[in-house]
């Protein structure tokens, strides 16, 4: 059993050299942990190191710490600080694979995944919890928190990047419900970040992105009563993207905040599209809104589904498959509706396997000022995710296609980017992700991580 003591580097045993040449005393760290320390060749290491995207299977860390407590996280940070690259891993959905630094230390949070709904309506969430863990516990308690859709995504990453999702127009972003965050900083301290205690740090944790200020070990959120929901899909025939996009934009902009509906444009020759979404209320009230969309489009849908569901089953409707998936992705942000829908259609023409997913903002998201939290896109019309399936053989070609669409959107005046869809190839990424909040975020990162312990290719200590 590991000792309940705080590790300090000056008291460490003489370090050994790992295969990457870094000076780390893995044996000493292992003795201090409640959880397991896995090294290459150890049973379970191969499974523990892999992320959601198989294209990152070539990221081989020097070790994985399977943390069971905040003390484990603190010891891992202190022993590895400035010796090897260091990154936290929860859901493992980092698009570029930043949560598995090659030759570094993965601080695996997945054993810290408890979710507890309190009687007064708050919920505490371990940083290793997935959205499925969160939604399951909330559903049983008849409460809700707005968050993302994919069930295998980690709550931590969603929250720290802001947290867009299907209930955001009614209830706001995930980070808008954050009350406190337990965090281990670069010097190994365990802090409780809140608006009262650490206003700058708490501000940065609400949209400043994961991996920049420390490793969050637990979140506390406010919740709302779980509403009755309607989920729906309206699929349109291929070749009608311009008409649907032209109608969808003013329709969703004028819709009540109870309605969220995204537009998924599938590349092809010709491209196709569908509108899918969630309505806070019964299907009897949602149906007329969909009738209005169809009328505006002037296109008869190829299919239409409309279902009343409770909170958990509505979230499960959007969950997707849990299997690992190879993909390349990026993002842009529409500050206003696209002025040339036909040009957007052209960008997707002939690009089978690539999708442009437009998720509307507005409503409760825009109720919060741009600089009230670190999330900068409060007044934008929608986020745009460019997502393409790939294989190891097609990765380079697929990445080029994604980059061409991203550049094409920029040429149409669609700039910016969403930090949770982080992309190393995105031009001017610091300004794109953080906008007017970049300067304050850079200052906070310097204050809490002056020695760049949590440094990575697109970290705030790089700007």
């Amino acid at each position: 059993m590991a000792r309940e003591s705080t590790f300090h580097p000056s008291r460490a045993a003489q370090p050994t050299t790992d295969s990457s040449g870094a000076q780390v005393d893995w044996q000493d760290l292992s003795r201090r942990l409640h959880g397991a320390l896995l090294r290459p060749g150890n049973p379970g290491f191969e499974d523990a190191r892999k992320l959601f995207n198989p294209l990152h299977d070539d990221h081989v860390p020097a070790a994985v710490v399977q943390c069971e407590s905040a003390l484990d996280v603190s010891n891992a940070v202190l022993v590895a600080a400035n010796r090897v690259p260091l990154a936290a891993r929860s859901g493992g959905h980092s698009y570029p694979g930043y949560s598995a630094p090659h030759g570094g230390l993965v601080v695996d949070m997945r054993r810290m995944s408890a979710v507890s709904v309190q009687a007064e309506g708050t919920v505490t969430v371990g940083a290793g919890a997935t959205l499925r863990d969160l939604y399951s516990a909330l559903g049983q308690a008849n409460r809700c928190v707005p968050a993302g859709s994919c069930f295998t995504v980690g709550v931590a990453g969603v929250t720290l990047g802001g947290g867009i999702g299907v209930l955001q127009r009614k209830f706001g972003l995930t980070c808008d419900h954050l009350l406190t965050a337990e965090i281990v900083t670069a010097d190994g301290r365990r802090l409780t970040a809140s608006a009262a205690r650490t206003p700058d740090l708490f501000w940065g944790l609400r949209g400043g992105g994961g991996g920049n200020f420390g490793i969050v070990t637990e979140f506390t959120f406010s919740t709302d009563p779980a509403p009755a929901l309607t989920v729906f899909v309206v699929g349109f025939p291929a070749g009608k993207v311009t008409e649907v996009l032209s109608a969808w934009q003013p329709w969703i902009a004028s819709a009540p905040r109870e309605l969220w509906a995204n537009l998924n444009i599938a590349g092809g020759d010709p491209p196709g599209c569908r509108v899918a979404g969630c309505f806070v209320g019964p299907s009897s009230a949602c149906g007329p809104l969909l009738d209005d969309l169809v009328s505006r489009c002037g296109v008869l849908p190829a299919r239409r589904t409309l279902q009343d569901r409770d909170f958990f089953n509505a979230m499960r409707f959007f969950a997707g498959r849990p299997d690992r998936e190879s993909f390349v992705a990026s993002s842009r942000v529409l500050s206003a509706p696209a002025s040339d829908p036909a040009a957007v259609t052209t960008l997707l023409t002939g690009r089978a396997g690539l999708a442009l997913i437009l998720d509307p903002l507005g409503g409760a998201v825009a109720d919060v000022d741009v600089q009230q939290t670190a999330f900068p896109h409060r007044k934008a019309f929608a986020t745009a995710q460019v997502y393409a399936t790939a294989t190891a053989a097609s990765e380079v070609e697929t990445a080029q296609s994604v980059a061409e669409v991203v550049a094409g959107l920029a040429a149409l005046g669609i700039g910016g980017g969403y930090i949770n869809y982080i992309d190393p190839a995105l031009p001017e990424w610091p300004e794109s992700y953080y906008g007017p909040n970049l300067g304050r975020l850079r200052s906070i990162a310097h204050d809490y991580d002056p020695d760049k312990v949590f440094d990575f290719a697109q970290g705030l200590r790089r700007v």
Side-chain angles (χ1 to χ4, degrees), residues 165-173 176 252-261 359-369 375 377-382:
V166 302
L167 296 177
Q168 64 189 16
R169 285 170 50 83
K170 176 64 175 178
F171 296 106
L173 303 176
D176 295 336
I252 194 63
S254 62
R257 61 177 58 197
E258 286 78 14
L259 179 70
W260 177 93
D359 292 323
L361 297 170
V365 177
D367 290 344
V368 180
D369 186 74
F375 181 83
H377 308 302
R378 295 287 181 174
K379 309 306 178 184
F381 167 64

Side-chain angles (χ1 to χ4, degrees), residues 66-384:
Q66 295 180 316
C67 296
E68 294 187 356
S69 67
L71 180 60
D72 278 356
V73 177
S74 179
N75 282 330
V77 168
L78 284 166
V79 77
N82 297 125
R83 293 177 172 86
V84 290
L86 178 68
R89 181 260 167 84
S90 293
H93 282 252
S94 168
Y95 282 10
Y98 290 146
S99 46
H102 187 75
L105 177 62
V106 175
V107 183
D108 189 340
M109 308 297 292
R110 286 176 291 176
R111 294 188 178 187
M112 300 172 62
S113 60
V115 179
S116 177
V117 183
Q118 308 304 318
E120 79 278 9
T122 62
V123 58
T124 57
V125 184
T130 63
L131 289 179
R132 182 183 183 90
D133 297 327
L134 174 63
Y135 291 149
S136 178
L138 289 172
Q140 292 175 36
N142 202 32
R143 307 295 296 183
C144 85
V145 169
S149 54
C150 179
F151 267 23
T152 58
V153 165
V155 175
V158 169
T159 303
L160 296 172
I164 65 174
V166 302
L167 296 177
Q168 64 189 16
R169 285 170 50 83
K170 176 64 175 178
F171 296 106
L173 303 176
T174 312
C175 72
D176 295 336
H177 291 253
L178 184 64
L179 298 175
T180 64
E182 305 296 322
I183 184 171
V184 173
T185 56
D187 56 3
R189 288 181 298 158
R190 287 176 278 168
L191 304 178
T192 299
S194 69
R197 295 181 181 180
T198 56
D200 279 347
L201 178 60
F202 185 68
W203 178 88
L205 294 175
R206 291 178 293 159
N212 280 311
F213 310 111
I215 298 178
V216 176
T217 59
E218 185 179 86
F219 301 86
T220 300
F221 299 98
S222 63
T223 70
D224 291 291
L229 299 169
T230 301
V231 297
F232 58 86
V233 177
V234 183
F236 294 91
K240 300 298 181 179
V241 170
T242 299
E243 293 89 338
V244 176
L245 177 56
S246 297
W248 174 81
Q249 292 187 126
W251 173 76
I252 194 63
S254 62
R257 61 177 58 197
E258 286 78 14
L259 179 70
W260 177 93
N262 74 356
L263 178 60
N264 188 316
I265 304 172
D269 197 4
C273 66
R274 70 178 186 272
V275 173
C278 185
F279 178 72
V280 181
S283 58
S284 59
C286 181
L289 295 170
L290 300 185
D291 293 340
D292 181 39
L293 170 65
V294 172
S295 176
R296 291 175 185 237
C297 291
V299 176
L300 187 66
R303 68 185 180 103
R304 173 170 163 167
T305 62
L306 190 68
Q307 301 174 359
D308 291 283
R309 295 198 175 193
D310 61 23
F311 170 73
F312 177 77
N313 284 302
M315 296 305 102
R316 188 166 61 178
F317 179 82
F318 298 100
R321 298 175 57 187
D323 306 327
R324 299 176 77 213
E325 182 175 303
S326 299
F327 66 91
V328 177
S330 188
S331 66
R332 285 289 181 181
V333 176
L334 284 73
S335 58
S339 60
D340 191 347
V344 175
T345 302
T346 299
L347 280 175
L348 276 293
T349 300
R351 299 185 189 272
L354 187 148
L356 174 65
I357 306 166
L358 304 179
D359 292 323
L361 297 170
V365 177
D367 290 344
V368 180
D369 186 74
V370 169
Q371 293 183 298
Q372 191 172 333
T373 69
F375 181 83
H377 308 302
R378 295 287 181 174
K379 309 306 178 184
F381 167 64
T383 58

Side-chain angles (χ1 to χ4, degrees), residues 4-24:
E4 288 289 339
S5 60
T6 301
F7 173 72
H8 191 281
S10 66
R11 297 197 293 269
Q14 192 67 27
T16 57
T17 303
D18 76 358
S19 59
S20 66
Q23 297 290 311
V24 179

